[in-house]
Amino acid sequence: GRRGLESLPKLAVDIGIRQLDLRALKKYKRHFGLKTGPTSSNKEDLQTAVIRHFAHTLRAEEGKTERSFIRLVTNQRPA
């Protein structure tokens, strides 16, 4: 929920992630195999999961993760 987002580290990509539509967030979740609860299909929960994953992975593999995320978002096709 909202509290989860407030406790996340502030990243430059936060704004971009928050602007993604639900379909793009679900695509990111599938692509990276994120584990979320069974009721975590709302946009806010997915944003939290994506931001956490991105922050964690960025620390581990900065360049590779950025390129993967940019490719994922760039390849997003309109509905």
Side-chain angles (χ1 to χ4, degrees):
R2 185 83 221 146
R3 214 170 10 148
L5 284 175
E6 292 168 358
S7 67
L8 294 174
K10 298 296 179 213
L11 299 172
V13 297
D14 282 7
I15 293 169
I17 290 172
R18 291 173 206 276
Q19 291 177 352
L20 292 174
D21 62 21
L22 186 59
R23 192 175 56 108
L25 293 167
K26 287 181 177 181
K27 187 174 180 180
Y28 185 102
K29 178 184 170 182
R30 270 192 319 272
H31 180 79
F32 289 102
L34 300 184
K35 304 292 183 209
T36 58
T39 60
S40 293
S41 60
N42 71 53
K43 188 172 182 176
E44 196 171 277
D45 289 343
L46 288 171
Q47 286 172 332
T48 300
V50 168
I51 290 169
R52 278 200 177 116
H53 174 261
F54 196 80
H56 174 74
T57 308
L58 236 178
R59 283 189 285 273
E61 304 180 48
E62 278 184 41
K64 181 179 175 186
T65 302
E66 273 183 310
R67 288 187 300 275
S68 294
F69 179 71
I70 290 168
R71 210 172 28 251
L72 177 72
V73 173
T74 302
N75 291 330
Q76 177 184 351
R77 297 205 177 13

